[in-house]
Amino acid sequence: MRVTTENQVVIAISLGLLLASRSFVQCYVSFASTPRSRLRRGFSACAAGGPGRPWEPGPAKVESLPGQKTRQLLLENPMLFEDSLDSELEALSCEPEEQVDKDNQPEAGEEGLDAAASLRKRIEEVRASERGRALSDLLYLMVCDGFRRVGYQLARPLQAGGRADLGGRAEEETLTTKLHSEEVLAAVEEHMAQSMPGGMAAASSSVLQRMVQLPFFNIGQAYALTVQYGYVLKRAESRLQLERSLLPDGGVKSLSSYIKGIGPGIFQDAMVSVEAHIASKMQVDAVFGDLQVLRGHLVNALAKRKPSRSGTNAAVQDAVNSGEVAAIYILVADVRRLLLEAAAFGTLLWQAEDKALELS
C-alpha cells in the first residue's frame, strides 16, 4: 500500500487470489453444466433510483423477445410483472414438439431421411438456444425486480481509467437486512473482510471515505466471486433450514460452520443451471466488461516482469502506472457497496432459479 494523501491510497491487490481462482474464471465463462430452470416471487414495495432518477432494471442488455416484453412491463407497470413473468415461464416450459412441414419433407430414401433428421436437429438446437437465452433474461429481470422491491438501483457500468460513479446513493439496509437473514449477513460480512485488503472492510467513516486505485480485473473478479458466494449462502441456508426441521435435536450449527463442515463439492460447485450462470455473467459483463480479456492483460503484463511472490504487488502497481493494466479510482464505500450488491444479486438469483423450477 502506498499512501498519497490523508484520505487517498493506491492499492495493488495481491495476485494470489486471482491465480488461485483461475479455474473459477474459466468455468464462469464456459458454462459447462447441465441446464435446469428455477425462479421466485418478491415482496411488496415500490422503489426509486435515487433523487431525481427513476428506477430502471440492471445495466445488462436483454435480447430475447420474452425478455424485452417483460422488461418493458417491469418499467411501465411493475404491478403486472409477476403475472407476465409466470406466463412467459410456463410458455417456455411447454415447448411444442418439433414438426417438419410435410410439403418441405424430402423424398423417401436414405439421403432424404438423413437430410430430414439433420434439419430437425438443427431446428431443435436453434430453439433450445433461443429458449435458454429467454430463460436467462427472465432470471435476470426477476433479480432486478427483487432489487426494485427493496428500493435499490443496481450500479451503472464502470469505465476503467477514471473515477467510479455507481449512480445515485443507496441505503445499506437495502442490500443487507432487507434481503438477508442474520446468519447470511454475518457470513457475507466475513467474506467481505477477507475480500477487502488493508482493513478496507471496516465500516468506519474515515476508512469508507478513502479513495483507492484498483486494477479493473481485481474488482470485477471480486464482484463475480461474491455473486456466486451469495448464491451459495442462500442455497446452503435453505438446506440447513430443512435439516433443522427434520432433526430438531441434532445440534444447531451456524451457517458458516455448516458450509465448512460439508466441504467443497456440495455448495461450492457451479450454479445449478446454465441459465443462472448466464444471468450472472450478463450482470458482470455489463458492469465491468469481459473478465477473461481483463485477466489476459494482467497476466501478460506480469509475465513481462516475472515478479517473485513477494514482489507481485509492486509489479501490478508498475503495470497499472504504465497503462498496461486497466485500473479505476473508487471510494472504499463504493467497493463495499459493490460487494454487498453482488452478494444480494447471488441471493436473488438463487430465489429466481427456485421459482423457475416450480413452474417447469
Side-chain angles (χ1 to χ4, degrees):
M1 178 186 299
R2 178 163 59 86
V3 179
T4 57
T5 69
E6 181 179 357
N7 291 319
Q8 182 180 25
V9 293
V10 180
I11 295 178
I13 297 179
S14 169
L15 195 64
L17 172 62
L18 311 183
L19 299 181
S21 57
R22 177 178 181 180
S23 61
F24 168 80
V25 179
Q26 292 172 336
C27 169
Y28 181 74
V29 176
S30 64
F31 312 125
S33 53
T34 304
R36 285 176 57 191
S37 298
R38 294 191 160 210
L39 270 163
R40 153 137 191 124
R41 287 182 197 272
F43 331 112
S44 60
C46 175
R53 181 187 174 202
W55 184 89
E56 294 182 357
K61 184 179 180 181
V62 174
E63 297 180 350
S64 67
L65 182 58
Q68 290 174 357
K69 288 176 4 185
T70 308
R71 184 184 188 278
Q72 196 63 29
L73 194 61
L74 180 58
L75 271 171
E76 296 178 355
N77 197 343
M79 295 290 290
L80 301 178
F81 172 76
E82 285 196 35
D83 289 338
S84 174
L85 183 72
D86 290 352
S87 297
E88 295 291 352
L89 288 170
E90 288 172 359
L92 289 170
S93 66
C94 300
E95 205 172 69
E97 293 184 4
E98 306 294 347
Q99 291 185 349
V100 178
D101 191 329
K102 292 182 179 180
D103 293 336
N104 294 327
Q105 286 207 22
E107 295 180 2
E110 195 169 319
E111 290 185 6
L113 291 175
D114 288 344
S118 177
L119 176 60
R120 283 195 296 271
K121 182 178 179 181
R122 180 57 185 155
I123 291 173
E124 290 169 0
E125 289 173 350
V126 170
R127 291 193 176 179
S129 176
E130 292 174 348
R131 178 178 177 273
R133 180 59 205 230
L135 284 170
S136 298
D137 286 347
L138 295 177
L139 283 168
Y140 182 80
L141 290 171
M142 200 159 196
V143 171
C144 293
D145 185 52
F147 282 114
R148 179 190 67 82
R149 290 171 180 271
V150 297
Y152 180 76
Q153 175 70 62
L154 282 159
R156 294 172 177 170
L158 300 179
Q159 298 294 327
R163 175 172 174 172
D165 177 12
L166 305 188
R169 300 180 64 181
E171 297 295 331
E172 186 165 296
E173 66 176 9
T174 62
L175 297 174
T176 54
T177 55
K178 285 189 176 182
L179 286 173
H180 300 304
S181 67
E182 290 185 6
E183 279 191 308
V184 170
L185 187 54
V188 169
E189 291 288 357
E190 181 181 346
H191 168 78
M192 289 178 56
Q194 296 170 356
S195 302
M196 298 170 68
M200 286 199 296
S204 64
S205 58
S206 60
V207 173
L208 293 175
Q209 293 310 307
R210 287 181 181 176
M211 182 71 69
V212 299
Q213 184 188 37
L214 299 175
F216 211 48
F217 171 70
N218 291 48
I219 186 65
Q221 168 106 339
Y223 188 98
L225 287 168
T226 306
V227 168
Q228 180 157 334
Y229 188 66
Y231 175 98
V232 164
L233 284 175
K234 191 62 180 176
R235 184 179 171 192
E237 182 188 41
S238 177
R239 175 165 167 170
L240 178 58
Q241 288 174 346
L242 177 61
E243 292 191 11
R244 284 171 174 169
S245 66
L246 295 175
L247 302 169
D249 299 325
V252 179
K253 297 180 179 179
S254 69
L255 181 60
S256 296
S257 63
Y258 178 68
I259 294 175
K260 291 175 184 176
I262 291 179
I266 301 296
F267 299 119
Q268 287 84 346
D269 284 346
M271 293 174 181
V272 172
S273 68
V274 171
E275 291 82 9
H277 273 288
I278 296 174
S280 65
K281 187 174 187 296
M282 287 167 60
Q283 173 66 12
V284 174
D285 286 356
V287 178
F288 300 98
D290 191 328
L291 290 187
Q292 282 285 67
V293 173
L294 293 171
R295 181 183 181 279
H297 293 162
L298 182 56
V299 170
N300 290 339
L302 290 178
K304 294 178 184 178
R305 292 163 174 79
K306 299 180 180 178
S308 63
R309 182 179 295 273
S310 61
T312 299
N313 281 358
V316 172
Q317 187 64 61
D318 182 62
V320 168
N321 293 339
S322 68
E324 296 174 67
V325 171
I328 190 169
Y329 285 96
I330 183 169
L331 289 172
V332 172
D334 287 340
V335 176
R336 177 176 173 83
R337 173 180 163 183
L338 281 172
L339 294 184
L340 286 174
E341 175 185 295
F345 192 99
T347 289
L348 291 170
L349 184 57
W350 185 90
Q351 293 175 332
E353 270 192 317
D354 196 50
K355 172 66 175 182
L357 183 60
E358 289 176 9
L359 296 175
S360 63

